[in-house]
Structures are given as C-alpha cells and as structure tokens.
Amino acid sequence: MVKISDVARHADVSPSTVSYVLSGKRSISEQTRRRVLASIATLGYRPHAGARALASSRSNVIALVVPLRSGIYVPVLMQFVVSVVTAARGHDHDVLLLTQDEGVEGLRRVSGSALVDAIIVMDVETRDTMLPVLRSLRRPAVLIGFPADSADLTCIDLDFEAAGKASAEHLAEAGCQEVALIGAPPEVYQRGTSFAQRTQAGFERAARGRGLRPVTWPCDPAPGAVRATVRKLLQQRPGLDGVLVHNESALRALLDSLRAAGRRIGDDLAVLAICPDDLAEQATPALTSIDIPADEVGARAVALLMAKLAGEPVPRATLLPPRLTVRASTARVSTGLASAGLAGTHGPDRQPTAQGGCDDQRLY
C-alpha cells in the first residue's frame, strides 16, 4: 500500500507538504502542488478515509436507510441500493446501510456523530415517523418517495400517480370497461406506503374519468393467496377485461392463475404491469409495462445529495415521468398509441396525491 511518505519521497518534498496539498490548509506553490499531484497519480496513492475526514471535517460517507420489512420485493429494492452505492462511489463517498428496524433511533445515532455527512431514506410512508427527525437534523437528506407533507424536504421518485393514470388510459384505449389494479400485499397499504397509494390514486381517478369501473385488490404473493385473489376477483367482476399488476412478487402466479381461470391474456384480457422491464419481457406473453427506473432514481438521489452538501440549491420535488412500453399482453391496443415516453402529469414542483379514493368492492 502506497503511503504518504512514499509520495513525499517521489515528489522530493516533506510528508507535511503532501498533507497540505491534500487538505488545502496551507498555501503551496503551484509548481510544488503539481509535482505532488503528479506523484500521487503515478503511485496510485489514495488518502486514508480517516485522514480525509480530519482534513475536510467530513467522513465522505452517506447513510442509506433501507426498508427490510414484509411486503417488499427485495430484488427491486437491491437495484435501488446498488444504484445509490455505485453513484456514491463516483462522488468518492461510501455508503452506510441502516435497516428500517433502526428507524428514528438509527437516524439520531448517525446524525449525532461524525459517522455520515448526509442521508438517503427509501420507501417513504405518507406519514412517516422519521419525518420530524429528518427535519431537525443538521445533515442534508434526500427521500426516495413522497410523504403526504413534503414541506422543507427534498424528494425524488418515479411519478407513480402518473404511472397509474397512464395505465388506466392505456386499458381504456384497449377497449376495456371492467378494470382492476392488483396491488401490493395488504400490509403495504396498511402502512400507508407512498408509492402504492399514489399508484392507486392515479389509476382509479383516470379510470373513472374514462368511464371505466375500477377496483383495487391488495394481493399476498403466496401462490395459494394469489389463486384465491384471482378466484374472488373474477367472481365479483365476471366481466373483467383489463388488469394492472403492481406486485412483482405475485406476477408469475397471477398470470398462471388468470390462465387457469380460462382468461386469454392479450386477447380477452388486457394485462400490463408496473415492474422492471426484464420481468415484463420474460413473462408469457410479454407484458406491456411501465419500468421501475431504479438506476436513474438512485443516481439522481445521490446527485441531489451531493449538491446539497456543496450548498447548491436543489428542486424540492423531482418526479420522473413514466415510460410505458407496449408488448403482446395488450394486443388490442391500437397501433397508433405511442409505445414509449408517456410523460407524467406533474411538473417538478407539484405535489403528488398520496391518498387514494375508496371503492365499495375493494378487499383489505
């Protein structure tokens, strides 16, 4: 491992001069500074994290609060985590993971020490218990998700309300009349998870606006529970001809159960999903879908955090517009409908709706 003394020897300066070049705490001639930086590059020297922290009064670490609780689809969750970690490394920052179990106490612990410079919180609930603490911290924070009250907070996410709206409008274009949102497990709605409620609100409002009859059914991903959900849904809505699935864990079992019930996906039943593109493409038939842009959300969350650390102004709300790709599962959709790039209905400063309306026939 290259040490600061090796750099000093290579540049023919004292170790203290190398330290001053790295910290900027003392004026060094431009010629000497360039010689030291050239030696650092040649030898591949990387300052020790502790030394960097002492020099800059920063740890170069951000905390990422990750939900580890029931109803969460872990593969998609990990896409967000990997994206945040990768983007943070691009800014020479490491990431400290905090589980949701640590919650408020975990935030207080890291913010009250020199462990981290800033915080990213995932899977925000509409009335999240962490919000008062986040507002009181002296550490910059970015939320992936939108609470009901996002005043004084910096939030970013896919515009799930616009995704629900685009899905309902797509089903209407397919000629559907009886439509259902088969959503996340019941506990996700019971916790008031923001993305689930926003999707429901956008879907139901747009469907009613197009003269459709919408219903939302939470769905446990266990195969037996999926079969029971499909059976009860079809008993209640025998004329069902359009489905939006927002539950990656249950997706395969749902398609199997619909086929077992005699429904021909892409023919007498239009199906689309809000899920990663690879899941939609691997389904049989391939599903029309709105992608979950985990890579983009994670990278932009880190960029917002770095800007806040630098004292730069950032937008209060960033909503990424949904991108819908048409595939075989909504084959009745007219060929004139755009297959990608459906823009959301919210501008960057508009608050997304967090509360969905009620439906007499919804099961909870």
Side-chain angles (χ1 to χ4, degrees):
M1 179 183 295
V2 179
K3 300 178 181 178
I4 197 168
S5 58
D6 300 322
V7 175
R9 191 177 304 109
H10 189 273
D12 195 23
V13 297
S14 68
S16 61
T17 298
V18 177
S19 296
Y20 293 142
V21 169
L22 291 170
S23 67
K25 287 187 173 181
R26 184 171 296 186
S27 177
I28 301 295
S29 71
E30 183 62 21
Q31 180 180 4
T32 300
R33 191 182 73 85
R34 289 181 177 178
R35 192 163 74 248
V36 170
L37 292 177
S39 295
I40 288 172
T42 299
L43 298 177
Y45 171 71
R46 293 184 63 83
H48 185 273
R52 289 200 310 266
L54 288 172
S56 64
S57 298
R58 287 188 179 176
S59 65
N60 277 39
V61 176
I62 63 175
L64 176 60
V65 181
V66 179
L68 295 176
R69 51 195 181 191
S70 63
I72 296 297
Y73 186 60
V74 174
V76 171
L77 174 71
M78 292 310 298
Q79 288 181 18
F80 282 96
V81 172
V82 170
S83 176
V84 168
V85 171
T86 301
R89 288 306 308 144
H91 291 276
D92 197 29
H93 278 65
D94 294 311
V95 175
L96 172 67
L97 295 181
L98 297 179
T99 67
Q100 196 71 27
D101 291 340
E102 296 179 82
V104 170
E105 291 308 314
L107 283 177
R108 289 197 177 112
R109 175 171 58 84
V110 299
S111 65
S113 68
L115 285 174
V116 303
D117 299 324
I119 299 165
I120 293 177
V121 179
M122 291 181 55
D123 195 47
V124 176
E125 298 174 357
T126 54
R127 290 174 176 79
D128 206 299
T129 57
M130 289 186 286
L131 298 184
V133 177
L134 287 169
R135 288 190 171 100
S136 69
L137 298 181
R138 296 182 179 180
R139 298 280 190 274
V142 171
L143 280 62
I144 296 179
F146 282 79
D149 178 11
S150 60
D152 303 322
L153 299 170
T154 302
C155 305
I156 182 172
D157 208 352
L158 172 66
D159 191 338
F160 280 100
E161 186 173 348
K165 177 179 183 291
S167 300
E169 291 178 343
H170 189 77
L171 291 175
E173 293 290 339
C176 299
Q177 291 296 319
E178 298 268 354
V179 297
L181 164 59
I182 300 180
E187 59 265 33
V188 173
Y189 291 93
Q190 291 163 4
R191 286 197 299 263
T193 304
S194 174
F195 72 83
Q197 292 194 341
R198 287 186 282 138
T199 302
Q200 178 185 350
F203 178 78
E204 293 185 353
R205 186 178 297 115
R208 291 192 179 100
R210 294 294 293 264
L212 311 185
R213 292 186 62 223
V215 63
T216 297
W217 284 57
C219 184
D220 187 295
V226 172
R227 289 191 294 271
T229 296
V230 169
R231 182 177 65 255
K232 293 175 183 177
L233 174 59
L234 294 178
Q235 287 173 351
Q236 188 180 108
R237 293 289 182 97
L240 185 73
D241 53 8
V243 171
L244 167 62
V245 182
H246 192 192
N247 186 330
E248 296 96 340
S249 299
L251 187 56
R252 182 172 180 176
L254 276 168
L255 297 178
D256 289 343
S257 296
L258 288 167
R259 280 190 290 264
R263 296 307 179 100
R264 294 170 295 173
I265 298 171
D267 185 2
D268 64 358
L269 181 66
V271 178
L272 70 155
I274 300 175
C275 69
D277 275 340
D278 58 346
L279 286 181
E281 291 166 353
Q282 293 164 12
T284 304
L287 295 177
T288 294
S289 68
I290 292 177
D291 186 32
I292 304 292
D295 290 347
E296 184 177 2
V297 170
R300 291 182 66 171
V302 171
L304 287 168
L305 206 59
M306 294 300 111
K308 294 185 77 168
L309 280 169
E312 301 171 4
V314 300
R316 181 170 54 85
T318 303
L319 286 163
L320 305 186
R323 295 186 290 268
L324 188 151
T325 301
V326 178
R327 299 188 179 91
S329 65
T330 57
R332 289 178 295 170
V333 179
S334 64
T335 56
L337 190 63
S339 64
L342 278 172
T345 57
H346 297 297
D349 293 321
R350 181 174 172 186
Q351 290 298 311
T353 301
Q355 296 295 325
C358 294
D359 189 295
D360 292 341
Q361 298 172 331
R362 184 181 309 123
L363 290 187
Y364 286 96

